[in-house]
């Protein structure tokens, strides 16, 4: 699934917006974003246009789930 997020700025007020798209609708989502960017270029108070995705069939939570007993994380390896 894809989500497009943007913020409408109206004077001092801001209004967060979102529009969802199915996993098969990447091209329409990109087109929607481009339409928002055109409105922004034309002077409308639209900011923070971004898109993110999440696979609906993901297994487990994002990130590292399990590490081995000998795992020792270090910021720098010497």
């Amino acid at each position: 699934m894809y989500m497009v997020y943007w913020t409408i700025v109206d004077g001092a007020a801001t209004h967060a917006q979102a529009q969802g798209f199915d996993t098969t609708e990447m091209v329409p989502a990109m087109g929607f974003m481009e339409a928002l960017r055109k409105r922004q270029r034309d002077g409308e108070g639209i900011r923070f246009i971004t898109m993110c995705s999440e696979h609906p069939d993901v297994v487990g939570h994002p990130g590292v789930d399990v590490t081995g007993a000998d795992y020792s994380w270090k910021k720098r390896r010497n």
Side-chain angles (χ1 to χ4, degrees):
M1 158 172 225
Y2 299 100
M3 289 293 291
V4 175
Y5 297 96
W6 70 100
T7 301
I8 296 176
V9 179
D10 184 17
T14 59
H15 308 281
Q17 306 289 314
Q19 172 78 35
F21 294 87
D22 190 67
T23 54
T24 61
E25 299 179 308
M26 180 185 219
V27 172
M30 300 287 282
F32 185 77
M33 290 177 61
E34 185 52 37
L36 288 171
R37 288 191 178 107
K38 182 180 182 325
R39 289 170 53 191
Q40 183 183 45
R41 286 190 302 271
D42 291 343
E44 248 183 273
I46 298 175
R47 302 285 182 266
F48 305 106
I49 302 165
T50 189
M51 180 175 73
C52 66
S53 65
E54 181 176 88
H55 197 286
D57 298 324
V58 70
V59 178
H61 298 286
V64 177
D65 284 354
V66 178
T67 59
D70 62 340
Y71 181 79
S72 177
W73 183 87
K74 292 182 174 72
K75 186 172 183 176
R76 290 194 172 102
R77 301 280 179 189
N78 292 332

